[in-house]
Amino acid sequence: MKQYLDLCQRIVNEGVWINNERTNKRCLTVINADLTYDVANHQFPLVTTRKSYWKSAIAEIIGYMRGYQSAADFRALGTKTWDANANLNEAWLKNPHRKGEDDLGLIYGALGRAFPKPNGGHVDLLQGIVDDLTKGVDNRGEILTFLHPGAFDLGCLRPCMYEHHFSLLGDTLYLNSTQRSCDVPLGLNFNMVQVYVLLALMAQITGKKPGKAYHKIVNAHIYEDQLAPMRDIQLKREPFAAPQLIINPDIKSLKDIETWVTLDDFEVKGYQHHDAIQYPFAV
Ligand SMILES: Nc1nc(=O)c2c([nH]1)NC[C@@H]1CN(c3ccc(C(=O)N[C@@H](CCC(=O)O)C(=O)O)cc3)CN21
Ligand SMILES: O=c1ccn([C@H]2C[C@H](O)[C@@H](COP(=O)(O)O)O2)c(=O)[nH]1
């Protein structure tokens, strides 16, 4: 939590105003931030200085692991966070590749679970990583990437957290996640949870111990209409102690995640938080 608040404060203190053409909003921006989550010691990085909708965050990462490409599937799992990008994003609505209501196109897991090969066919990157890690293999390239520059016009949004690199040291699993663009008040509140959960879940289904997760952010920003509530309300609050995330121990394979897992398989204990703050969302 402290590292999150430090980043927010750093943007307020040192950020540079950059005009963003896609959203037509100015963003107070810094370059480069490195966050670390101690998954081994259950340091769940949930924001406490406002109410965080952690179930939505977990629904997103499960949807990515399943290769979802429809906002309707994300809604069925328990989050409406992809509705605006599917159905209100002007550029995407005009894009001839959009297949109608709720279609997101080739985003995130739709690429990571069926990454097109230059010589034809696809590779399921996530399945390959799970198979290797289960056997104790780390080939120094256990990389789940959602980034395919040739597919940018085939999806509603380029992936923000675009790469997850898994590593084994003995039977301890590590994760390095990279994010190119980060909406710190809204997106990061979710992305921290997602990096933590991705390492915890991958360790659980491959029979490894979770170690640390390292989260690299390149462009970290606060949109102009989010600045006042962040600076004058959220940053004035004292954080509470970190809560605990409990994951159903019956989740034992990628198949389980693909077939029966729901948000009821995740529980947060001891979540003390300040009141909700509704931040504007830039489409
Ligand atoms: N501008 C922008 N910021 C983002 O963080 C973002 C995008 N666009 N587009 C793609 C996804 C969608 N994400 C989202 C979308 C909405 C919320 C949001 O509205 N969060 C509210 C309420 C969440 C709820 O009720 O479930 C929040 O207070 O956190 C968060 C992340 C993250 N990503
Ligand atoms: O997981 C996510 C997804 C999206 N975001 C934010 C970062 C930006 O504010 C927008 C994406 O806009 P681009 O113009 O494509 O950079 O969404 C996030 O923080 N986390």
Side-chain angles (χ1 to χ4, degrees), residues 22-23 50-51 53 56 60 64 79-82 85 108 157 183 185-190 223 277-279 281-283:
R22 191 182 67 76
T23 56
R50 75 177 178 102
K51 183 175 183 192
Y53 300 88
S56 273
E60 282 192 348
Y64 302 157
T79 185
K80 296 188 179 128
T81 47
W82 280 95
N85 278 112
Y108 289 88
L157 202 69
D183 174 344
L186 278 179
L188 186 52
N189 163 53
F190 279 16
Y223 287 92
I277 299 175
Q278 272 202 326
Y279 281 104
F281 177 74
V283 184

Side-chain angles (χ1 to χ4, degrees), residues 45-67:
L46 193 62
V47 165
T48 60
T49 48
R50 75 177 178 102
K51 183 175 183 192
S52 179
Y53 300 88
W54 58 270
K55 284 201 172 192
S56 273
I58 295 179
E60 282 192 348
I61 193 74
I62 290 175
Y64 302 157
M65 292 176 89
R66 287 179 176 174

Side-chain angles (χ1 to χ4, degrees), residues 28-182:
L28 199 54
T29 306
V30 299
I31 299 300
N32 196 55
D34 292 287
L35 308 180
T36 302
Y37 315 122
D38 188 351
V39 185
N41 290 304
H42 314 288
Q43 292 296 308
F44 185 44
L46 193 62
V47 165
T48 60
T49 48
R50 75 177 178 102
K51 183 175 183 192
S52 179
Y53 300 88
W54 58 270
K55 284 201 172 192
S56 273
I58 295 179
E60 282 192 348
I61 193 74
I62 290 175
Y64 302 157
M65 292 176 89
R66 287 179 176 174
Y68 280 179
Q69 39 190 328
S70 164
D73 289 334
F74 281 97
R75 275 200 305 279
L77 198 54
T79 185
K80 296 188 179 128
T81 47
W82 280 95
D83 289 6
N85 278 112
N87 300 321
L88 300 174
N89 168 341
E90 285 301 327
W92 180 235
L93 292 176
K94 280 192 244 147
N95 187 317
H97 299 294
R98 181 175 179 267
K99 296 193 196 76
E101 182 81 5
D102 286 328
D103 183 38
L104 299 163
L106 268 190
I107 60 151
Y108 289 88
L111 278 164
R113 300 301 311 267
F115 205 90
K117 291 168 68 165
N119 56 353
H122 300 93
V123 252
D124 182 343
L125 300 174
L126 183 59
Q127 185 69 62
I129 295 167
V130 168
D131 291 347
D132 276 359
L133 298 178
T134 304
K135 288 182 272 181
V137 171
D138 168 6
N139 67 20
R140 302 192 289 199
E142 303 293 351
I143 299 174
L144 174 62
T145 184
F146 299 137
L147 192 80
H148 189 325
F152 285 165
D153 63 333
L154 303 178
C156 64
L157 202 69
R158 294 165 298 166
C160 289
M161 211 151 64
Y162 63 85
E163 190 168 278
H164 303 282
H165 183 166
F166 295 90
S167 302
L168 274 178
L169 289 182
D171 60 359
T172 303
L173 186 65
Y174 294 81
L175 172 60
N176 287 72
S177 297
T178 311
Q179 181 161 2
R180 66 171 176 83
S181 171
C182 182

